Every structure is written in C-alpha cells, then in structure tokens.
Amino acid sequence: MDYQAVLESIVEELRPQLGRAGHVASYIPALARVPATQFGIALRTCDGVEAAAGDSATPFSIQSISKVFSLTLAMQVAGERLWARIGREPSGNPFNSLVQLESEKGVPRNPFINAGAIVVADHLVAQCVDAKAEILGLLSDLCAEPIAFDEEVASSEAGSGHRNLALSHFMKSFGILDHDVATVLDVYFHQCAIRMSCVQMARAAGYLCRDGAHPRVGARVLSEQQVRRINALMLTCGTYDAAGEFAFSIGLPCKSGVGGGIIAVVPDRLTLCVWSPALDATGNSLLGRCALERFTARTGLSIF
Ligand code: GLU
C-alpha cells in the first residue's frame, strides 16, 4: 500500500477545514496560545517503513497520550501490583471528574482518566530513582531522539491544575496514594508537558503494534499480554467519553490528548499519530478524528 499517498491525500482534503471548527484547549493557559491551523500525520509500519505529511515534524504537547507511556513504564517496574489500585473499566465521566471517585472509594476506573494516571505516577515515584527522567528515557529510547519537557507548559499546568490537586488529595484521603501529592503531581504534570512530533510519536508507539517488541532494536518493551491489555484499554478508555464512537467509526485502539494529538494502533501492521490542536466537544482533536476515519476507510485497516 502507498501509505505516503494516503497521508498526503488526507492532508489535502482536510486542509481547507483548518481553523474553521473546534477550539484549542484553554484551561491550561500555555496551551491556549497554540495556533489552531496546524495539522500533521505520520505512521510507521512494523517493518520500519515510514510515511508523513503536513506538520508532521512540528513538536506538540502530548498531554494525555503520555498516559500510555507512563503506564508502560509502570507495567515494567511494578507489574501486576499496579491493578490493586486501578480499574479497567470505561468511566463514562469526564477525564477529570471527581464524582465517581467518591462512590468508588478513591479507586480510579482506569489508567487513562486523570485519577488513574496519577496513581500510575505514584507507582513510578515508588519504583524509579527519578521517575521524570525515566519517562523521558523510555520515550527517547523508543524514538531514537532526545525528548524533553516543555517547562512552561508544566508550570502552567501546576499553576492551574486545581482539579488534579483535588483528585489527588481525594485519593490520598482514601489511602490510594502512597506518596505526597506534590511529588506525584510533579511527575504527572511533567509527563503531560512532553513535546513530541507526529513522526517521533508514530515511532515511539511502535511496540504497540509489534506485540511488545521494541520498534528498532531486538529488545522487548513489554510482554505480548501486557501490550494486548494496553491496546484493549486504549480502545475502551483512550478517547474520553467518545471511546464508543471511536470504536464505531474508526475501529482502532487510540489515545488522545488535549494538545490535539491522537495515536492509533493497527496491531501487527503499524502505528499512526495525527495532530491538530482544535478539539471537538468531547476533547478529542476534531480534524484528527476525521483523519483517522478517512485513513481506516481508505486502507480498510481496523481491528474489526
Ligand atoms: N494535563 C492535562 C490535565 O491533567 C491532560 C488532559 C488530557 O490531555 O486529557 O488536565
């Protein structure tokens, strides 16, 4: 298949819609300044073929896409212990909701809502010498380029993250967090503030379509079973309250972030990253979602 031609045609078709609809996330001040009129897409196949179009080399704030990689690191260092304090069900509530946590005694529904990712960060603080450095190390190793935090975004999140503070203190009151809230949130805010391009992200996610094998070197990132579980969580919980709609119209495990990025996995075939900052009402990239629908319609690639 000529993936390069497919990606270029998607960029051409969607370009006229850039800046027409959707809104850039504004609740994190540093993200509100990102120009909406950008669109990039990149993929990498299991055997290393790459294709990219549009603003695919422009770094963006990966935000909640980082939850896939922090979960990966936590699976490496904490293993099954992780699941004692985190569920595996879609929440059916906003990603930063406090409501469900109350009735469920502080145990987050899944690792991709904020509360769940904060518990994952708590595990990383317990198991890593320097959790922030290890997250960057994992991503840099996976995509073979140095990856860094955007410190301005991290401090913007810390200054405006009242809900994440509330979620963390709430969980702490139930005994769900082992470490102090400031330490855990410092890891969480930094992982959300990582900057990567679509090309880097499509490379880094490569182990998700290769049954856990490293995208380049002959090492293993996770076991086949662990990667199957991550892909299952991405399908059921990866795109906020639109996971059902994503499964219905795209049919691939996806994880989105409020920076406008979305990664998608075609098991045994390829990983793909699309980015456009304007979000729809569900908090997913509006044009990113359109692009993924076109990609699966055109290529016939879906897990169903
Ligand atoms: N840093 C964001 C927050 O905690 C991440 C949100 C997202 O991308 O879903 O609110």
Side-chain angles (χ1 to χ4, degrees):
M1 187 161 340
D2 187 349
Y3 288 122
Q4 185 61 36
V6 173
L7 299 195
E8 279 170 14
S9 70
I10 290 172
V11 170
E12 279 316 302
E13 287 164 24
L14 294 182
R15 206 189 296 276
Q17 294 183 42
L18 276 179
R20 290 249 176 104
H23 298 282
V24 173
S26 56
Y27 75 101
I28 301 170
L31 290 186
R33 296 194 285 274
V34 176
T37 52
Q38 303 182 82
F39 180 91
I41 187 164
L43 64 78
R44 185 176 194 272
T45 67
C46 282
D47 38 18
V49 174
E50 296 192 351
D55 301 311
S56 59
T58 306
F60 63 90
S61 188
I62 72 169
Q63 291 296 316
S64 274
I65 300 176
S66 67
K67 291 170 181 166
V68 171
F69 298 96
S70 62
L71 176 62
T72 296
L73 186 56
M75 281 177 155
Q76 287 176 345
V77 297
E80 290 298 299
R81 258 171 304 167
L82 203 55
W83 304 112
R85 291 189 269 149
I86 308 176
R88 280 99 58 158
E89 291 294 339
S91 73
N93 276 302
F95 67 100
N96 54 8
S97 170
L98 278 149
V99 176
Q100 214 159 36
L101 268 184
E102 165 105 76
S103 57
E104 298 186 356
K105 308 216 169 353
V107 178
R109 274 279 172 114
N110 67 68
F112 292 157
I113 51 173
N114 285 12
I118 291 166
V119 176
V120 169
D122 188 55
H123 277 283
L124 294 181
V125 171
Q127 304 295 328
C128 301
V129 177
D130 181 344
K132 290 192 287 183
E134 291 199 29
I135 295 171
L136 286 185
L138 173 69
L139 283 165
S140 305
D141 171 60
L142 287 169
C143 73
E145 283 178 27
I147 298 300
F149 300 121
D150 182 330
E151 289 294 347
E152 191 197 342
V153 173
S155 60
S156 184
E157 296 217 30
S160 60
H162 308 297
R163 236 168 218 274
N164 288 321
L165 272 159
L167 288 168
S168 304
H169 282 291
F170 203 48
M171 289 192 288
K172 185 90 183 159
S173 77
F174 281 106
I176 299 294
L177 291 185
D178 285 341
H179 299 87
D180 66 274
V181 166
T183 306
V184 175
L185 280 184
D186 184 51
V187 173
Y188 174 76
F189 288 141
H190 274 84
Q191 71 176 65
C192 291
I194 289 170
R195 280 162 63 78
M196 288 173 73
S197 68
C198 290
V199 172
Q200 291 172 323
M201 194 44 104
R203 285 179 191 157
Y207 64 101
L208 297 173
C209 71
R210 303 179 87 234
D211 295 329
H214 193 286
R216 288 170 303 102
V217 297
R220 183 153 282 288
V221 180
L222 289 176
S223 72
E224 198 174 329
Q225 183 205 47
Q226 286 171 317
V227 157
R228 216 170 26 235
R229 289 174 166 186
I230 293 186
N231 283 333
L233 287 165
M234 286 171 67
L235 185 78
T236 53
C237 316
T239 47
Y240 312 117
D241 273 352
E245 198 54 49
F246 265 71
F248 183 83
S249 57
I250 295 165
L252 293 176
C254 293
K255 182 74 200 87
S256 54
V258 295
I262 309 176
I263 56 170
V265 182
V266 186
D268 302 323
R269 296 295 280 271
L270 56 87
T271 40
L272 189 150
C273 178
V274 60
W275 166 63
S276 191
L279 309 178
D280 64 16
T282 67
N284 293 291
S285 171
L286 194 139
L287 290 186
R289 188 167 169 171
C290 294
L292 289 172
E293 283 178 22
R294 279 163 202 252
F295 181 81
T296 50
R298 207 149 298 169
T299 60
L301 293 173
S302 152
I303 61 165
F304 299 110

